[in-house]
């Protein structure tokens, strides 16, 4: 299948490791010109050179950075990105009782406002072009709250409502908006959460964690010209982990 990504441009947040890196690599392989973003400047440039794309350092947990990164990427690409992938590291873990107001505010800026700001910045260009793909990396926690992840459980569910609302506003303008829900996937985030891959794998119907490339395959398809009639969806790549239908 030709994904019709040759000549398209993409901005991929959190693109130096894990799921974002896999998405960026897949889009490059399909012929897109890609900019990746992450905080660690040395690593973002190193990974960009390895993948064959542009690297932009930036911290999406800082107010205003989402907007500034869209402008910087537009300057690098010479046009508005056709594809925007919102994605950052996971928010701090913890129970409701142990989570401070400061942690909630930081989680809101990093997970939620960085997505809102960057989408608002990219939309006028996509509307002028009559073509756009907005993909948000969220989590299975958006549909089934996970233990000890109160910020993620709360905010990611709300983000699905925000994205679905937006998808209807722009559906007639050639722009699709979809959420991708990773299940437990083999990245640095698993070590950060202290997940034991073997025992977690036993709880997943597929019998193992997912690989970033398996997740990236869905992202590339949803970013493509072939996915033009799929919008407002929240699609899990989870080896059968979610029970909900
Ligand atoms: N892996 C899973 O199983 C899984 C499951 C469900 C949900 N998720 C969610 O999916 C997202 C991606 O997960 P992952 O496993 O790919 O994580 P990861 O391996 O930790 O990679 C995170 C990427 O985002 C960048 N990043 C982190 N914070 C950032 C910030 N404030 N500004 C800009 N870039 C930032 C990191 O680079 P720098 O550190 O250099 O900034 C890195 O490139 C996370 O929100 C995670 O919670 C993952």
């Amino acid at each position: 299948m030709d994904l019709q990504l040759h000549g398209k441009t993409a901005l991929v947040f959190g693109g130096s490791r894990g799921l974002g890196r896999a998405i960026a690599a897949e889009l490059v392989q399909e012929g897109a010109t890609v900019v990746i973003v992450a905080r660690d400047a040395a690593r973002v440039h190193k990974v960009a050179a390895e993948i064959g794309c542009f690297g932009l350092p930036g911290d999406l947990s800082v107010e205003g950075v989402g907007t500034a990164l869209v402008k910087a990427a537009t300057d690098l690409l010479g046009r508005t990105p056709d594809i925007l992938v919102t994605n950052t590291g996971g928010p701090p873990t913890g129970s409701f009782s142990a989570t401070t107001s400061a942690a909630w505010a930081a989680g809101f800026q990093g997970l939620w406002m960085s997505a809102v700001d960057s989408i608002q910045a990219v939309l006028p260009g996509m509307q002028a072009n009559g073509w756009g793909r907005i993909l948000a990396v969220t989590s299975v926690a958006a549909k089934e709250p996970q233990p000890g992840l109160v910020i993620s459980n709360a905010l990611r569910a709300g983000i699905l409502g925000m994205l679905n609302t937006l998808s209807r506003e722009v559906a007639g303008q050639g722009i699709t908006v979809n959420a991708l829900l990773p299940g437990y996937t083999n990245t640095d985030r698993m070590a950060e959460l202290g997940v034991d891959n073997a025992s977690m794998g036993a709880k997943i119907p597929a019998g193992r964690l997912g690989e970033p490339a398996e997740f990236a395959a869905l992202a590339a398809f949803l970013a493509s010209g072939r996915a033009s009639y799929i919008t407002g969806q929240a699609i899990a790549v989870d080896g059968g982990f979610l029970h909900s239908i």
Side-chain angles (χ1 to χ4, degrees):
M1 182 189 292
D2 176 8
L3 293 183
Q4 304 166 358
L5 283 165
H6 281 273
K8 296 295 184 197
T9 57
L11 172 58
V12 180
F13 290 157
S16 69
R17 290 188 279 127
L19 304 176
R21 177 184 174 139
I23 293 171
E26 192 74 38
L27 293 175
V28 169
Q29 209 171 349
E30 290 296 327
T33 305
V34 176
V35 178
I36 59 170
V37 166
R39 292 166 301 182
D40 182 329
R43 185 161 47 203
V44 82
H45 289 306
K46 180 172 174 285
V47 171
E50 287 167 6
I51 293 178
C53 66
F54 295 105
L56 258 185
D59 184 349
L60 288 154
S61 66
V62 176
E63 197 178 342
V65 168
T67 311
L69 285 167
V70 169
K71 182 171 182 330
T74 301
D75 290 345
L76 270 175
L77 294 164
R79 53 176 288 160
T80 300
D82 297 305
I83 300 155
L84 172 67
V85 180
T86 65
N87 172 47
T88 60
T93 58
S95 64
F96 178 86
S97 314
T99 300
T100 63
S101 297
W104 278 106
F108 186 71
Q109 178 59 46
L111 267 191
W112 191 303
M113 286 314 299
S114 69
V116 169
D117 288 345
S118 55
I119 292 170
Q120 276 182 340
V122 90
L123 263 185
M126 288 182 175
Q127 286 166 323
N129 294 336
W131 202 99
R133 298 284 182 269
I134 295 169
L135 307 180
V137 176
T138 66
S139 171
V140 285
K143 286 201 171 176
E144 285 181 14
Q146 300 299 302
L149 292 175
V150 69
I151 296 178
S152 183
N153 293 339
L155 297 186
R156 293 190 197 274
I159 286 170
L160 295 191
M162 184 263 287
L163 294 171
N164 184 276
T165 305
L166 170 63
S167 74
R168 289 157 187 270
E169 289 177 21
V170 297
Q173 300 167 355
I175 301 168
T176 68
V177 184
N178 291 292
L180 292 82
L181 281 51
Y184 287 84
T185 313
N186 199 4
T187 72
D188 294 349
R189 175 67 172 163
M190 292 298 93
E192 197 180 299
L193 294 176
V195 170
D196 174 58
N197 287 10
S199 54
M200 180 52 73
K203 295 181 191 158
I204 299 170
R208 62 174 176 86
L209 267 64
E211 292 301 325
E214 295 178 299
F215 182 78
L218 174 68
F221 176 69
L222 290 175
S224 78
R226 305 303 295 271
S228 48
Y229 204 56
I230 302 173
T231 196
Q233 302 304 303
I235 305 176
V237 181
D238 67 350
F241 179 80
L242 285 180
H243 293 85
S244 53
I245 52 173

